[in-house]
Amino acid sequence: MNKTSILIVEDDNLISKFMSRAIDSAGFKSIVAENASTARMLFMSEMPNLVLLDLGLPDADGMDLLTEMKNIRSEIPVIIVSARERENEKVTALDRGADDYVTKPFGIFELMARIRTALRHSSKAVSSATGAEGKIYTHKGLSLDIDKHIVKLNGEEVHLTGREFRILELLFEHKGKVLTYDWMMRQIWGDYVPADNQILRVNVTNIRRKLKETVDSPAYIKTELGVGYRMPDDE
């Protein structure tokens, strides 16, 4: 089963290790970034289920990073974990889209409770917004469980990154229709869409490899040359 992933953005090595061990012990998967630059890269590549964000980063203001993340994927909960105690700091963070605010020093049991609460709220919000609660897509031995975030091929679980899962989800949602490169990239990257579609092509190639299909004989993702991709109808 794909583990729920949590991105820790924290420049203090001792604190990040402390949080990472607790998160892993709770059955989640921790991903650590010590600065904003690495956090941006991991956020885009991993599409974590939740972010723990320190505001005092060495290369950027954490508030600005919070805004960037929420502009890209607003449904991913972000919990601020910061030593900044002033009320106006908390209000600003919450106004910019933060889902919760934990002040350092903190108790690990409190932090884990906040994480579980944010994940529950996020899951309910996404299901309500998309009508996808309990929805499972299937096509020729391939299944995509939206609620549980699980992909299976002929009964065997397939590990996809967050971005790969989203690509496959879009193809299932619009099965039989051609999705243009530009449209897909806007759905996945939002306002931070890359300049060209190479990164989308790389992700699709990775999905095909994991689903053991080739461009010449595609059961799941057909390339419409120069236009985009399509998941074939049952033919």
Side-chain angles (χ1 to χ4, degrees), residues 78-233:
V78 178
I79 298 177
I80 302 299
V81 183
S82 176
R84 300 181 187 178
E85 299 180 351
R86 293 196 302 271
E87 183 178 352
N88 67 314
E89 294 275 5
K90 296 180 181 180
V91 171
T92 299
L94 294 170
D95 281 345
R96 290 201 185 190
D99 296 81
D100 204 346
Y101 197 110
V102 178
T103 304
K104 298 177 183 177
F106 55 86
I108 198 62
F109 294 111
E110 177 193 359
L111 180 65
M112 295 309 300
R114 301 280 190 104
I115 288 172
R116 288 191 293 269
T117 298
L119 288 171
R120 281 198 301 271
H121 289 170
S122 173
S123 177
K124 290 177 182 177
V126 171
S127 295
S128 174
T130 63
E133 187 170 7
K135 182 176 287 186
I136 300 176
Y137 292 109
T138 59
H139 178 69
K140 295 184 177 180
L142 178 67
S143 68
L144 189 81
D145 189 318
I146 302 299
D147 202 32
K148 295 181 179 177
H149 209 82
I150 295 174
V151 180
K152 288 187 178 181
L153 179 62
N154 299 322
E156 294 291 324
E157 190 162 338
V158 179
H159 174 71
L160 298 183
T161 66
R163 185 186 293 163
E164 291 165 356
F165 188 95
R166 178 60 177 150
I167 290 171
L168 201 55
E169 182 182 0
L170 286 173
L171 289 164
F172 263 118
E173 283 178 354
H174 303 277
K175 189 176 177 184
K177 297 180 180 179
V178 178
L179 307 183
T180 67
Y181 299 126
D182 288 346
W183 184 86
M184 291 183 73
M185 290 173 71
R186 285 197 303 273
Q187 299 304 307
I188 297 163
W189 283 275
D191 293 336
Y192 295 84
V193 60
D196 59 53
N197 59 37
Q198 181 59 29
I199 191 168
L200 175 63
R201 292 171 183 265
V202 169
N203 277 272
V204 169
T205 297
N206 289 337
I207 296 171
R208 282 176 168 150
R209 174 176 52 79
K210 293 175 181 180
L211 299 183
K212 301 174 183 176
E213 76 167 8
T214 64
V215 180
D216 297 329
S217 182
Y220 310 110
I221 307 176
K222 284 195 71 172
T223 300
E224 300 294 340
L225 259 146
V227 180
Y229 299 106
R230 173 173 64 89
M231 178 174 283
D233 283 318

Side-chain angles (χ1 to χ4, degrees), residues 45-87:
S45 62
E46 298 290 336
M47 285 295 173
N49 300 97
L50 182 141
V51 179
L52 297 175
L53 175 61
D54 180 26
L55 295 179
L57 300 173
D59 58 339
D61 186 335
M63 290 287 191
D64 292 336
L65 183 58
L66 166 64
T67 301
E68 289 180 36
M69 288 178 170
K70 284 297 182 177
N71 283 339
I72 296 170
R73 292 295 292 271
S74 61
E75 73 274 17
I76 296 177
V78 178
I79 298 177
I80 302 299
V81 183
S82 176
R84 300 181 187 178
E85 299 180 351
R86 293 196 302 271
E87 183 178 352

